[in-house]
Amino acid sequence: MAQDTPSPPPVDFETHTSRYRHWKVTFEGEVARLRMDVQEDRPLREGYRLKLNSYDLGVDIELADAIQRLRFEHPEVRVVVVESAKDRIFCAGANINMLATSGHAFKVNFCKFTNETRLALEDASLRSGLKSVAALNGTCAGGGYELALACDEIVLVDDGNSAVSLPEVPLLAVLPGTGGLTRVVDKRKVRRDRADVFCTVAEGIKGKRAKEWGLVDEVVPKSRFEAAVKERAKALAAKGAAEKPGRKGPGVELKPLAPTVSPTQVKYGHVTLDLDRDARTATLTVSGPDADPPKDAAAMRAQGSDLWALRAFRELDDALLRLRINHLEIGLVLLKTRGDLERVLAWDGAVHRSLDDWFVHEVACHMARTLRRLDLTAKSLFAVIDEGSCFGGSLLELALASDRSYMLDDGKGAVRVATSAMNGGPLPMSNGLTRLQSRLLAEPDRVGEILAAKEPFDARAAEEAGLVTFALDAIDWEDEVRVACEERASLSPDSLTGMEANLRWGGPETMETKVFGRLTAWQNWIFQRPNAVGEKGALTMYGKPERPKFDWNRT
Amino acid sequence: MAQDTPSPPPVDFETHTSRYRHWKVTFEGEVARLRMDVQEDRPLREGYRLKLNSYDLGVDIELADAIQRLRFEHPEVRVVVVESAKDRIFCAGANINMLATSGHAFKVNFCKFTNETRLALEDASLRSGLKSVAALNGTCAGGGYELALACDEIVLVDDGNSAVSLPEVPLLAVLPGTGGLTRVVDKRKVRRDRADVFCTVAEGIKGKRAKEWGLVDEVVPKSRFEAAVKERAKALAAKGAAEKPGRKGPGVELKPLAPTVSPTQVKYGHVTLDLDRDARTATLTVSGPDADPPKDAAAMRAQGSDLWALRAFRELDDALLRLRINHLEIGLVLLKTRGDLERVLAWDGAVHRSLDDWFVHEVACHMARTLRRLDLTAKSLFAVIDEGSCFGGSLLELALASDRSYMLDDGKGAVRVATSAMNGGPLPMSNGLTRLQSRLLAEPDRVGEILAAKEPFDARAAEEAGLVTFALDAIDWEDEVRVACEERASLSPDSLTGMEANLRWGGPETMETKVFGRLTAWQNWIFQRPNAVGEKGALTMYGKPERPKFDWNRT
């Protein structure tokens, strides 16, 4: 039973099209092809082979990178065809030997990342009109079908053999962990009894029935497969163009972040992650812009990926991923900011005024995704609002995303926070609300009042307005924050993860919150159960001649 | 680490006011007092003492019974004051030694039952205008506060000492498992950062701050406590009376069910539960009414708790509870009906026509609660619709609640199913939709068409309409059903529990589905983690001099 050990080697989340091992991206005008061609002998770490286009974290990091680059670097693309380079195999899903030999925390965080990647595909469709079609030329199992489910449409070859399947329950005694169950009933609205049958049939469902049950949108004979995919892609491209006609023109290249990494620090241009392993605490500091904002969208595009609002949030995103996967021992993250509050607000204003520009819109969508990644990070988050901080607008979201916030009342009103138009809509949480709305569920009318405030809030005003948890006098500041951090770091990591997962998303639920709230929690449970991961559990026994042994008691 | 063994002795869920050990019910006109006075030395099973008004399943069975009887036997009651007979202690929550010495499956099912009891309190308020106020005369911790949260209002004594608290995370490394986290942010809409602080402070929050943060509705000095509770009760009673003015007149006594129990069968008047332990399968057969329906509401009241629609569903409810707690080894439940389809429909019509009568309304609410209990039962449910069955209207809900349904096509159209007005609203699921709406998420317009059908559906028509999963010819019937059952019973119980929990509630979420979907799943996960239940876990070490030892890795 692989129990949180051995911890895998540190993972680097940066990559580039030119370095992909497992995917090929090609372009034909408004259509991009994202072709999965997993190299069996190039897993992220030793110990398993990536057979049959099965994937590990390394494969998914490339996929996430490819989707991101399509949005920024290729505004001419309206539709992406997700396909396979292997004959008669689309994708066999997450690699089972990788899962069986991974620790619990790694498995859970691997699933979280792959879930976010699939949501990124849907986000691109919803917010940027970048549509997707899954071209299933053959076997499409488990995570492979979950990838297809994240696409707008699914075309399955009708060759008498190729099926879609979610064989996790019957074969592995775990759940489809990448949104499959939720998307089957909530996105594709497959009837629940049919979904029940589908999810227990290891060989899956093919042909006419797959279409009739709504598991795919079209089944076509091999001879017409490529033509049918092209047709669908063309229609989707037209739809995407109609939704986002302004998305065009030269793309913006995403340059490497290339942080400096030491055992105690990851240092980027605008973001610094300091690690205190003994205290199980990290400090994540985001610096505000060091110049005034570009005057318009064209000037922003000219700055490209060096634009503060893009660069800083890309760095934050990378730091969060490192925290999750490479630093399991960190339980508490202190969020700090450094810089000029008014300048942050000026940048937010510039971004907000240009949201109808495709690039600036992409920048805002990226900020929103990064903040949702923060919400979903299973570490306690405390915002520390002290001298020199600049929690305004988009950076105030860091404090609003935190489990709690401490603000220094220096008696002179020098420490302030402020809202901007960016707090009013462009950065939604997974539940569809803004972080201010989520925060003020009991007093929805207060949201508008706070957004309309003309002046920044000093500590007492911020506490009064409900923007921070505690405003502390200088004399109490150091001790109170220190004690709060020590107390937090002393609590059981598991119970904190569960508690935060329940308190962070009050209010409405969406497919996205269902994936992370309901499905992920059940999957986490099952990933602990002896029937899956015990010595004779199904995941452990997979590929061995003996059958797994189950404890038959139902919970 | 207590791992599903030893299984506790079989539990009997029937009780009566006259036999309560832990609660006293008294009446003062429209106000009932439900006074918790837990007898320390009378736990449900050996091995722990129920100190400080802490509770176990036995205590909660009495509470559930008391709430049920208030609804049926005391229509004159408009408000219930939930209070304590102990000095300076309201309730210390679920008994920790009981939890620490219980197996995983028992813990999970205990929490599910207590959750349903609290939802019953809210259901009484929402649907019957039976309001509740929690009178906190002292310490109110964990499950005690979760009970208070289920009440409409909470009054806390202000004695400089008494606090409300959810100390599960800091003290026990588990979650408040009875809806506490959800109700704090979703029902009471406590700000999420304040909720975070509250849930990590073992000693809780008292006085002015408890009121300011929205954790309670009022704090009052001891001298004015009783008067304040009475005032609140009076105001709530008026509210309840305004909502349900027709709720009055003599009550209807709930007579004992007193089934005949053998190792292989539990037999009631209208319900039979047959247990096949070797096949890990149970058959639950509900018989339709054996006489025509009473002609009006008065005639129904005259039949009292012998009324088929009440008695049959009370028996079903009891059978489900026994299945969950006493028969862990059963993984699959076959749902069957026996009787006259037209007669079931006639009864449904009679019930539906009289829904404005308080008693008939209570009967329908009880049917709805029982069906939600069925939805929430962690066993696979297959409806078997065969010769002699009567899946019509309220009994069709059994098939609609099932994970799948098999219907015999006898070629003569003798096996039929039918809808009634009862499928159109009075029996909502936890997600707020009817089972037909939940089933036809993809085709909402079909719901109305199906409800409007003038004739019952034979097997082919039912399959066509989407009412059943499979219609099978007589020649295939026996083999196909047998194989389906064998296959189901061969799958991992845990993965099935997780799968069903994700497929059964498509569509919208409510506080109720959040409690069971999100909170419960996280709690189940944590109940498995070594940090809680391991040899040095916090739950195991509770009350011992040493500190628990945690694995600090965050998942």
Side-chain angles (χ1 to χ4, degrees), chain A residues 25 47 61 109 135 160 196 336 394:
Chain A
V25 195
I61 287 172
N109 278 292
D196 178 88
K336 296 190 176 183
S394 51

Side-chain angles (χ1 to χ4, degrees), chain A residues 219-397:
Chain A
V219 284
V220 269
K222 214 166 174 177
S223 60
R224 288 208 300 109
F225 185 70
E226 183 53 30
V229 169
K230 278 191 171 155
E231 240 167 76
R232 290 246 163 205
K234 203 177 154 185
L236 281 168
K239 198 174 162 195
E243 284 173 21
K244 291 282 165 188
R247 189 176 149 83
K248 61 187 170 200
V252 170
E253 189 196 336
L254 297 176
K255 291 187 208 154
L257 302 177
T260 309
V261 180
S262 80
T264 57
Q265 195 183 62
V266 184
K267 193 165 176 49
Y268 308 80
H270 305 290
V271 171
T272 307
L273 174 65
D274 289 296
L275 303 154
D276 181 346
R277 279 154 217 264
D278 293 338
R280 299 187 289 276
T281 300
T283 303
L284 192 47
T285 309
V286 181
S287 295
D290 44 23
D292 288 338
K295 67 179 194 327
D296 57 19
M300 288 192 203
R301 284 201 303 276
Q303 291 196 11
S305 74
D306 289 331
L307 187 80
W308 171 81
L310 177 54
R311 176 98 197 180
F313 278 78
R314 283 180 69 215
E315 292 174 353
L316 175 59
D317 201 39
D318 192 69
L320 290 173
L321 291 173
R322 287 171 179 268
L323 261 175
R324 284 188 192 170
I325 296 269
N326 298 339
H327 302 287
L328 297 181
E329 77 286 359
I330 298 292
L332 172 62
V333 179
L334 305 181
L335 290 161
K336 296 190 176 183
T337 55
R338 284 292 175 264
D340 184 307
L341 181 69
E342 270 73 18
R343 189 172 273 159
V344 173
L345 297 176
W347 271 76
D348 271 13
V351 167
H352 196 261
R353 274 191 304 278
S354 294
L355 279 177
D356 57 355
D357 177 79
W358 77 265
F359 170 67
V360 181
H361 171 75
E362 283 305 330
V363 170
C365 288
H366 176 266
M367 288 171 135
R369 286 198 298 284
T370 301
L371 289 166
R372 289 198 289 272
R373 179 109 74 195
L374 178 64
D375 294 329
L376 279 166
T377 297
K379 315 269 187 198
S380 295
L381 307 171
F382 284 7
V384 178
I385 305 172
D386 56 2
E387 278 179 331
S389 69
C390 56
F391 283 94
S394 51
L395 292 188
L396 179 63
E397 293 286 319

